[in-house]
């Protein structure tokens, strides 16, 4: 059984309850003595006033005893007698818990109550005013950064890398890239954006030929038949090199060179084939699959998470990083808008009210069952001791008040009775 934790503070409160019990009991004993003495004095003929005192004391005893019984019956059976409807808290604990859960559910966890409370609170305006303060925005940014770092630290890199790699690979396998590449290439060719790439290739090719002319001529001579004279091979190599250099130089310097036009037509045709030719598209898809299957590509995909994670953690830890500065500025801007924009306030408050109403209506039974089940799990005796320690002192004032009020009521009744008889 789960019970309250009976603490040293509870024990101190229990001592206060015992002191109040002693006071209330002493008052009962006092009025009993007054009753006895007043009754003796009345029979002894001390005067009519003794009857008034005796009547007041007698009524005070009745009130004190009645309230003692009522207070005691809450926590235990008076005098240990099995009187019905006594020891209410120990014996009716579960029913009290169920009633408390029903009361909370009906009066606090209703959609109308929650909506009304949130609307009166003005959550959007208050939140906006709070966020608009730079110090508060700094605090929220710091807390969000800590939470972000904690979440990234808890995540296992191997698991995340596996998920990221699988997601990227699956998406890449599922999506056909050839039509998209074709449209992109078609747009590049139509805009002439590829000309810079052709210029760069021509320039680099010209520079390479100028630097490695001997290598080109040696390659041509090495491919010549063995029966041709050496000087003929050398002349042919020189001729080929010069023609090749002239061709590359003209391509570099002449934007309208026929070879450039051929490149344009080739790229345009290739862009069209990527979009419409089944065979070309199938070849591109096979090439894509082969590339994705290569270990090097998979390693790059897997390592992407580590790089992103390190960048995010570093940005979250740096007070002056763009991530934190932008987050802080966004929070302040949001706060100012929430504090001044009535339309945005209405939207945010509507969202909050709808969310809260959904939660309380959907999970009301679970919330109230938490109260019911928790109370049902408490030990009856310990629960009674705990409650008595916390409210028993105030309950003893009921006994004291009952004694005083009973005495006054008895005196009034006795006085009225004698006045009516006279």
């Amino acid at each position: 059984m789960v019970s309250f934790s009976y603490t040293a503070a509870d024990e101190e409160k229990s001592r206060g309850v015992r002191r109040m019990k002693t006071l209330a009991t002493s008052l009962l004993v006092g009025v009993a003595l007054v009753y006895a003495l007043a009754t003796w004095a009345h029979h002894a003929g001390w005067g009519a006033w003794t009857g008034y005192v005796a009547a007041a004391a007698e009524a005070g005893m009745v009130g004190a005893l009645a309230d003692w019984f009522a207070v005691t019956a809450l926590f235990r059976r008076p005098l240990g007698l099995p009187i019905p409807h006594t020891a209410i808290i120990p014996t009716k604990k579960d029913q009290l818990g169920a009633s408390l859960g029903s009361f909370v559910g009906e009066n606090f966890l209703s959609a109308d109550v929650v909506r009304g409370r949130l609307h009166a609170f003005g959550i959007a305006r208050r939140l906006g005013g709070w966020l608009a303060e730079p110090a508060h925005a700094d605090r929220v940014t710091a807390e969000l950064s800590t939470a972000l770092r904690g979440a990234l630290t808890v995540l296992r890199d191997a698991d995340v890398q596996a998920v990221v790699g699988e997601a990227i690979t699956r998406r890449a396998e599922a999506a056909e890239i050839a039509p998209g590449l074709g449209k992109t290439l078609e747009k590049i060719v139509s805009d002439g954006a590829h000309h810079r790439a052709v210029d760069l290739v021509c320039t680099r090719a010209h520079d390479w030929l100028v630097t490695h002319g001997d290598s080109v001529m040696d390659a041509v001579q090495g491919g010549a038949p063995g029966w041709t004279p050496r000087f003929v091979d050398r002349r042919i190599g020189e001729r080929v090199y010069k023609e090749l250099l002239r061709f590359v130089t003209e391509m570099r310097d002449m934007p309208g060179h026929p070879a450039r036009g051929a490149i344009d037509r080739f790229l345009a045709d290739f862009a069209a084939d990527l979009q419409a030719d089944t065979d070309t598209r199938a070849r591109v898809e096979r090439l894509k699959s082969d590339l994705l299957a290569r270990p090097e590509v998979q390693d790059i995909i897997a390592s992407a998470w580590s790089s992103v994670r390190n960048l995010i953690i570093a940005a979250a830890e740096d007070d002056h990083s763009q991530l934190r500065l932008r987050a802080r500025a966004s929070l302040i801007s949001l706060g100012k808008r929430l504090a001044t924009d009535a339309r945005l306030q209405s939207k945010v408050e509507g969202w909050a009210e709808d969310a809260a109403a959904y939660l309380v209506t959907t999970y009301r039974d679970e919330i109230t069952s938490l109260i019911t089940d928790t109370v049902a799990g408490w030990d009856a005796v310990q629960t009674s001791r705990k409650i008595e320690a916390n409210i028993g002192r105030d309950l003893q004032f009921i006994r004291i008040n009952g004694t005083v009020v009973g005495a006054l009521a008895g005196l009034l009744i006795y006085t009225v009775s004698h006045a009516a008889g006279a």
Side-chain angles (χ1 to χ4, degrees):
M1 297 289 287
V2 180
S3 64
F4 282 121
S5 175
Y6 200 76
T7 63
D10 294 327
E11 184 58 36
E12 178 62 28
K13 292 177 182 178
S14 294
R15 286 194 288 269
V17 172
R18 288 192 290 270
R19 286 194 294 269
M20 289 303 300
K21 284 183 178 181
T22 301
L23 177 60
T25 303
S26 299
L27 185 58
L28 171 59
V29 172
V31 295
L33 290 175
V34 169
Y35 172 73
L37 292 174
T39 302
W40 174 80
H42 181 69
H43 289 298
W46 282 31
W49 62 271
T50 57
Y52 289 91
V53 175
E58 181 180 14
M61 286 191 298
V62 173
L65 289 171
D67 288 338
W68 166 81
F69 182 90
V71 171
T72 303
L74 290 173
F75 306 102
R76 62 188 63 85
R77 299 190 183 278
L79 302 177
L81 300 175
I83 303 172
H85 305 293
T86 58
I88 294 174
I89 291 177
T91 59
K92 302 291 184 180
K93 171 179 63 68
D94 294 349
Q95 294 91 322
L96 292 173
S99 299
L100 177 61
S102 298
F103 176 80
V104 171
E106 293 173 1
N107 296 279
F108 294 92
L109 299 180
S110 67
D112 292 338
V113 172
V114 171
R115 286 181 182 276
R117 186 60 180 169
L118 289 177
H119 185 74
F121 185 71
I123 186 172
R125 178 178 54 80
R126 290 173 179 265
L127 178 62
W130 190 83
L131 281 178
E133 295 290 335
H136 297 159
D138 290 338
R139 179 181 174 183
V140 174
T141 303
E143 294 295 337
L144 291 176
S145 299
T146 302
L148 180 60
R149 292 198 304 271
L152 293 177
T153 302
V154 170
L155 292 175
R156 294 177 55 187
D157 286 347
D159 295 339
V160 178
Q161 288 173 355
V163 172
V164 172
E166 181 183 358
I168 294 176
T169 302
R170 185 170 60 250
R171 289 289 299 274
E173 288 284 0
E176 186 180 4
I177 64 172
L181 290 176
K183 290 181 180 179
T184 303
L185 181 58
E186 183 180 27
K187 179 66 174 175
I188 291 174
V189 173
S190 63
D191 293 341
H194 67 291
H195 291 161
R196 292 184 180 180
V198 175
D199 292 340
L200 177 62
V201 171
C202 292
T203 301
R204 296 298 299 272
H206 176 272
D207 295 342
W208 188 88
L209 287 173
V210 171
T211 305
H212 301 87
D214 294 337
S215 300
V216 174
M217 288 186 288
D218 291 341
V220 174
Q221 294 177 32
W227 51 267
T228 58
R230 300 285 300 222
F231 75 92
V232 174
D233 295 340
R234 186 169 55 255
R235 292 294 300 271
I236 293 174
E238 292 175 353
R239 182 67 178 178
V240 170
Y241 170 72
K242 290 180 180 179
E243 289 297 324
L244 184 60
L245 182 61
R246 180 185 62 80
F247 175 78
V248 172
T249 303
E250 290 177 352
M251 278 194 67
R252 183 194 65 179
D253 299 335
M254 297 173 57
H257 194 277
R260 284 178 174 264
I263 293 175
D264 293 345
R265 291 189 296 273
F266 167 77
L267 292 177
D269 293 341
F270 185 53
D273 291 340
L274 286 173
Q275 299 178 68
D277 185 66
T278 304
D279 184 60
T280 302
R281 291 167 62 174
R283 290 183 180 182
V284 172
E285 290 302 311
R286 287 195 295 270
L287 177 61
K288 177 192 70 176
S289 298
D290 293 341
L291 287 175
L292 289 174
R294 293 189 64 83
E296 298 87 349
V297 176
Q298 290 297 318
D299 291 341
I300 293 174
I301 294 174
S303 63
W305 162 249
S306 298
S307 301
V308 173
R309 175 180 175 274
N310 293 333
L311 287 174
I312 295 176
I313 291 178
E317 291 176 347
D318 185 3
D319 294 342
H320 302 289
S321 67
Q322 284 297 314
L323 176 64
R324 293 189 61 164
L325 292 176
R326 289 178 181 273
R328 177 182 181 275
S330 298
L331 288 172
I332 294 176
S333 176
L334 176 61
K336 291 179 179 179
R337 286 195 60 195
L338 280 174
T340 57
D341 191 338
R343 184 176 179 181
L344 182 59
Q345 290 175 8
S346 178
K347 286 185 177 180
V348 172
E349 289 176 359
W351 295 335
E353 291 172 13
D354 291 341
Y358 173 79
L359 289 175
V360 298
T361 54
T362 305
Y363 300 102
R364 177 166 52 196
D365 292 340
E366 286 78 1
I367 297 172
T368 56
S369 67
L370 175 64
I371 300 173
T372 304
D373 296 342
T374 301
V375 174
W378 290 342
D379 179 76
V381 176
Q382 292 295 328
T383 301
S384 181
R385 287 185 61 199
K386 181 84 170 181
I387 295 176
E388 184 177 13
N390 284 271
I391 67 173
R393 187 174 185 276
D394 294 328
L395 292 177
Q396 297 309 309
F397 281 103
I398 295 177
R399 295 176 57 190
I400 295 173
N401 293 335
T403 304
V404 175
V405 173
L408 294 175
L411 178 60
L412 178 61
I413 293 172
Y414 186 85
T415 301
V416 172
S417 298
H418 272 260

